[in-house]
Amino acid sequence: MRALKPAGNQVAQVLFKPTTFVHLNHIIKLLKVSADTNNFILAKILHSHLLVTNQTSTGSNINPLNSLINIYAKSNRISVAQKVFDRMPERNLVSWCSLMAGYLQTGFPLQVLKLFKDMTLVDSLRPNEYIFAVVFSACSDGGKALEGRQCHGYVVKSGLVFHQYVKNALINMYSKFSDVKGAMRVFSLVPGYDVYSYNVVLNGLVQQGFLNEAIQVLERLMGESVEWDSVTYVTVFGLCACLKDLKLGLQVHCRILTSDVELDVFVNSAIINMYGKCGKVINARKTFDWLQVKNVVVWTGIMAAYFQNGCFEEALNLFSEMKINDVSPNGFTFAVMLNSTAGLFALRHGNVLYGEIVQSGFKDHVIVGNALINMYAKCGDIEAASKVFLDMMYRDCITWNAMICGFSHHGLGKEAMALFHDLLAAGECPNYVTFVGVLSACSHLGLVKEGLYYLNQFMRQVGVEPGLEHYTCVVGLLSKAGLLDEAEELLRSIPVELDVIAWRTLLSACHVHRNYGFGRRIAEFVLEMDPNDVGTYTLLSNIYAKAKRWDGVVKIRKLMRERNIKKEPGVSWIDIRNVTHVFVSDDCQHPESTQIYEKVKELLARIKPLGYIPDVTAVLHDVEEEQKEDYLSYHSEKLAIAYGLMHAPLEAPIRVFKNLRMCEDCHSAAKLISKLTNSMIIVRDANRFHSFQNGCCSCADYW
């Protein structure tokens, strides 16, 4: 632009000499130069010359005026383009098409459709293929499906559909309407394919989840002599990622390396994403390290790859490395970091990230708000999650789902159900994930009739097909209500393929309701399904121990040894001032173990007058009663709670995380310790969060 300014001045000096006459063909050529170089100043000079020399008032000068409309539209001066258009003595299809394209490019698709109607009424012009290409794009951008289908009928009757760009615009329109069948119908029935056609169809199929159909189109593409471009590779790598098809991904990677396609930031990000989704984070890292120039998109891609494979610490370390390299994070980067933090339950780190988000100006981005809700909910601070939700300016379905599921996971069933009704009142359509949270909330509240209504009627009314997670929630709901026979009947009748977790939910309920005979039968059935499921062995051993069937306990342990199945040891951990302290039952490895054991002993002695009676039935060893009480005293969660009370800041909640299900005795003790110390104690076990306060737990003593 700077280099053209002197030239523009010279042109102005020539054009505004009174004796100068510039031929119209030269004006048109100069306007083309102005359009190609986006030189708005030169366009204004040429326009002024046309006005001064009175060359805009006759129909023969239609071409330079069309060029001016095009230039003004490209320069985002659509109002000026409209004025030029309105003052034209005559207009042709190019005039209308230039103005329509301008409105489309500047984000006014509905104005395009208005112009299209005016064109046929005012100037009685018959639209051509270029006009329809713009109109179809306007229909897709403006969400005008009916008008788009009406225009589709016209181009079919007129034969304009056989123009490649009309066909491509139609495919793109149907894809944006999520009408994959319509896009495929145009793609299959109208002959002639180019790379754009394939790109649009493939992208639409992948975005809508029609992966088998996308593979068929890919096979067709590979069988033809259509040269792939970078968009094709990005889409196909995305397909490989969705399918988690590493073999296909490697083949496509080899193909692009032997092609002339430039490996730009979008292609490299797609490759990194593909390897991440396929579980090959090492390959993703090699691709990342090979790059000479790395922008925020690539950095975010490699962090996401680590996050998707459970390498949360590595993702957070890359975030620090990115900042050292002077690359500023964007909203997607912060979302990945917050979700990685949630994976580590690192609340303090999440708070630090929140501060950076506020400073960077990404606080009001929906994707960041969603990740913040998820992080706070998973790290045990449901109040902070709720505050983020209430403060969000914009919400999508993911926002509502994150908060509903967060409330459910914390045992706050009433809050989850109230929010679900707010979602419906706001006009949002619940989806698959929404109902997982809702049915989980019904389970916490014991709402059997409501849960069955949502599963059997309401979900189908809104077009959500029940899946394994929904049936598992309802099994938990029936089991909690003691309806074990009904839960088993449901499990044996549902139309989806079951996993061990669904049956283990029923088995765990047998343990809670002390229906040991029923539980043994279910456990034997589950072990036939999966002989290596350690959770089932543990529950069955516990059932035998509770029934004082020590011969059964010995039998299970012998079977586990024969099958080389090892029970995971119970581990609890707590973060105090940025340091994570890990505890194992009866472990004396901690530097302050003597003081911790004394604190536990003191707490247990002080809660006995409040009603604490050690639940020796939770001891799964055939030993004396006194020895059983000793076994109970120093479970990992008791040690972690005691340490938190010793060192956590006053009035701060004690947040403990455990890898296994919390035992009944620790649960009873934690309730009374919260009352004794006037503390909020939050324990996240393998199933859910337990919030202990004033002698009560959010789970209502069922978990």
Side-chain angles (χ1 to χ4, degrees):
M1 284 291 289
R2 288 179 181 175
L4 287 169
K5 282 184 179 178
N9 291 335
Q10 292 172 13
V11 169
Q13 291 171 12
V14 171
L15 290 176
F16 288 108
K17 283 183 179 179
T19 57
T20 301
F21 176 79
V22 181
H23 196 276
L24 195 59
N25 287 338
H26 295 153
I27 294 288
I28 294 171
K29 288 178 182 178
L30 285 170
L31 284 168
K32 186 178 185 308
V33 171
S34 173
D36 292 343
T37 58
N38 200 25
N39 191 336
F40 176 65
I41 294 174
L42 178 58
K44 286 176 67 177
I45 293 168
L46 294 167
H47 190 185
S48 300
H49 177 78
L50 290 171
L51 290 169
V52 168
T53 56
N54 198 29
Q55 295 187 66
T56 62
S57 58
T58 61
S60 60
N61 293 341
I62 196 169
N63 290 336
L65 294 177
N66 288 344
S67 298
L68 280 170
I69 293 170
N70 180 44
I71 294 166
Y72 286 135
K74 283 184 176 178
S75 303
N76 287 326
R77 272 84 172 184
I78 193 67
S79 59
V80 181
Q82 180 72 61
K83 287 178 182 177
V84 174
F85 178 85
D86 290 340
R87 293 173 183 174
M88 290 177 71
E90 290 183 23
R91 293 182 289 250
N92 60 13
L93 283 174
V94 177
S95 315
W96 288 92
C97 191
S98 298
L99 188 60
M100 286 180 189
Y103 274 112
L104 182 66
Q105 290 161 8
T106 49
F108 296 98
L110 299 184
Q111 187 64 25
V112 174
L113 299 180
K114 181 180 181 302
L115 284 169
F116 176 64
K117 292 175 183 176
D118 290 346
M119 181 188 75
T120 56
L121 294 173
V122 176
D123 285 355
S124 302
L125 293 173
R126 189 174 181 180
N128 61 12
E129 61 273 21
Y130 303 105
I131 294 286
F132 274 113
V134 176
V135 168
F136 285 131
S137 297
C139 288
S140 58
D141 289 355
K144 295 294 183 179
L146 178 62
E147 289 83 347
R149 291 188 176 92
Q150 288 172 341
C151 292
H152 183 186
Y154 182 93
V155 296
V156 169
K157 290 177 182 177
S158 64
L160 295 175
V161 72
F162 295 104
H163 289 273
Q164 191 63 50
Y165 31 87
V166 174
K167 174 185 174 180
N168 291 345
L170 262 174
I171 294 171
N172 182 60
M173 180 189 75
Y174 282 117
S175 296
K176 285 193 175 180
F177 290 153
S178 301
D179 185 354
V180 175
K181 290 182 179 178
M184 285 298 294
R185 192 161 51 246
V186 176
F187 179 77
S188 301
L189 297 180
V190 181
Y193 310 102
D194 60 8
V195 69
Y196 183 85
S197 306
Y198 277 105
N199 289 347
V200 173
V201 167
L202 274 173
N203 187 61
L205 291 170
V206 173
Q207 292 292 326
Q208 298 299 316
F210 292 88
L211 303 183
N212 290 332
E213 291 83 352
I215 284 291
Q216 293 171 10
V217 173
L218 178 60
E219 289 172 351
R220 188 166 162 180
L221 170 61
M222 296 179 77
E224 297 189 15
S225 57
V226 176
E227 191 171 341
W228 295 21
D229 60 12
S230 60
V231 177
T232 318
Y233 280 105
V234 169
T235 305
V236 175
F237 280 126
L239 172 61
C240 299
C242 292
L243 292 168
K244 293 182 172 56
D245 190 336
L246 179 62
K247 183 179 178 182
L248 178 59
L250 288 167
Q251 291 172 342
V252 177
H253 196 179
C254 290
R255 177 177 178 135
I256 196 171
L257 292 175
T258 57
S259 72
D260 295 327
V261 174
E262 179 187 357
L263 292 170
D264 60 20
V265 62
F266 301 105
V267 173
N268 283 312
S269 295
I271 294 170
I272 290 169
N273 177 60
M274 180 271 293
Y275 281 126
K277 292 280 178 63
C278 291
K280 284 292 182 180
V281 71
I282 294 174
N283 294 39
R285 185 58 187 261
K286 285 179 180 177
T287 303
F288 174 80
D289 290 338
W290 176 78
L291 298 176
Q292 298 298 313
V293 179
K294 300 166 185 171
N295 67 0
V296 65
V297 176
V298 177
W299 279 98
T300 303
I302 188 63
M303 290 176 206
Y306 275 111
F307 162 71
Q308 289 156 0
N309 287 277
C311 305
F312 307 126
E313 288 187 36
E314 289 84 348
L316 294 174
N317 290 337
L318 275 168
F319 182 65
S320 301
E321 191 179 329
M322 182 188 78
K323 289 193 290 186
I324 291 170
N325 282 272
D326 291 326
V327 178
S328 299
N330 61 19
F332 294 99
T333 317
F334 280 120
V336 173
M337 290 301 95
L338 287 166
N339 288 324
S340 298
T341 303
L344 293 170
F345 314 116
L347 179 61
R348 193 176 294 270
H349 192 86
N351 285 329
V352 172
L353 276 171
Y354 191 17
E356 290 189 42
I357 288 164
V358 172
Q359 288 181 347
S360 304
F362 289 102
K363 180 177 175 291
D364 294 326
H365 288 223
V366 175
I367 189 173
V368 175
N370 294 346
L372 274 167
I373 293 170
N374 178 59
M375 183 274 294
Y376 278 124
K378 287 187 175 176
C379 289
D381 195 343
I382 194 65
E383 291 181 2
S386 182
K387 186 177 185 306
V388 171
F389 177 84
L390 293 172
D391 288 344
M392 286 180 69
M393 296 174 62
Y394 308 102
R395 297 169 187 153
D396 59 13
C397 195
I398 296 171
T399 317
W400 291 92
N401 289 348
M403 199 66 245
I404 290 170
C405 292
F407 277 137
S408 292
H409 198 50
H410 281 260
L412 303 173
K414 290 181 180 178
E415 290 82 351
M417 294 304 295
L419 196 62
F420 174 60
H421 293 303
D422 288 345
L423 174 147
L424 296 175
E428 285 282 349
C429 186
N431 62 15
Y432 190 97
V433 178
T434 316
F435 284 108
V436 173
V438 168
L439 291 171
S440 178
C442 289
S443 179
H444 294 319
L445 296 171
L447 302 175
V448 176
K449 285 178 64 177
E450 291 84 347
L452 291 173
Y453 164 72
Y454 288 128
L455 178 74
N456 297 323
Q457 297 180 50
F458 192 64
M459 287 180 66
R460 289 185 169 86
Q461 284 176 18
V462 297
V464 178
E465 189 67 29
L468 177 60
E469 294 87 350
H470 304 115
Y471 287 114
T472 302
C473 287
V474 174
V475 168
L477 169 61
L478 295 170
S479 300
K480 180 175 181 178
L483 304 171
L484 303 183
D485 291 327
E486 289 83 349
E488 183 184 10
E489 184 181 345
L490 176 65
L491 280 169
R492 295 191 184 279
S493 65
I494 59 179
V496 298
E497 187 177 347
L498 293 171
D499 62 3
V500 172
I501 295 172
W503 283 98
R504 208 195 302 142
T505 300
L506 177 57
L507 178 58
S508 182
C510 297
H511 181 252
V512 171
H513 289 289
R514 291 174 165 75
N515 194 332
Y516 303 131
F518 193 99
R520 284 197 298 272
R521 180 169 62 81
I522 295 297
E524 288 165 4
F525 175 77
V526 175
L527 288 177
E528 287 179 13
M529 290 176 62
D530 185 359
N532 297 314
D533 182 54
V534 64
T536 301
Y537 286 103
T538 303
L539 280 168
L540 183 54
S541 178
N542 294 353
I543 285 172
Y544 278 124
K546 287 286 183 72
K548 299 188 183 300
R549 286 280 308 277
W550 302 113
D551 58 327
V553 174
V554 171
K555 176 186 171 185
I556 292 299
R557 289 180 179 171
K558 181 183 177 185
L559 190 61
M560 290 175 72
R561 283 195 301 271
E562 289 173 354
R563 295 179 178 177
N564 197 27
I565 295 169
K566 295 181 180 179
K567 179 181 179 293
E568 185 180 2
V571 177
S572 297
W573 62 96
I574 184 171
D575 285 333
I576 303 289
R577 296 182 178 88
N578 288 334
V579 178
T580 301
H581 300 265
V582 181
F583 300 92
V584 181
S585 297
D586 298 314
D587 184 20
C588 297
Q589 297 299 314
H590 195 279
E592 299 179 63
S593 59
T594 303
Q595 297 92 317
I596 295 168
Y597 274 61
E598 286 297 324
K599 183 68 173 178
V600 171
K601 190 180 294 185
E602 175 204 332
L603 289 168
L604 295 181
R606 291 178 64 190
I607 62 175
K608 281 186 177 178
L610 299 178
Y612 171 65
I613 300 172
D615 183 8
V616 292
T617 61
V619 179
L620 307 177
H621 302 278
D622 187 13
V623 295
E624 298 297 327
E625 295 297 308
E626 186 177 337
Q627 193 175 352
K628 286 183 178 182
E629 190 169 335
D630 286 339
Y631 273 125
L632 289 173
S633 298
Y634 305 110
H635 280 186
S636 63
E637 53 265 60
K638 289 192 181 83
L639 299 176
I641 290 170
Y643 189 77
L645 291 168
M646 289 166 59
H647 292 288
L650 288 175
E651 298 183 0
I654 307 297
R655 289 188 173 86
V656 174
F657 298 90
K658 185 176 181 180
N659 63 329
L660 301 179
R661 181 183 182 275
M662 196 176 188
C663 82
E664 290 92 332
D665 185 74
C666 287
H667 193 269
S668 299
K671 286 197 298 182
L672 294 172
I673 290 171
S674 73
K675 185 175 183 178
L676 174 73
T677 60
N678 195 28
S679 301
M680 165 75 84
I681 299 172
I682 300 169
V683 180
R684 177 202 165 277
D685 70 1
N687 292 348
R688 53 173 298 151
F689 277 95
H690 301 265
S691 296
F692 301 98
Q693 193 169 25
N694 197 29
C696 299
C697 179
S698 60
C699 76
D701 298 338
Y702 185 95
W703 69 101

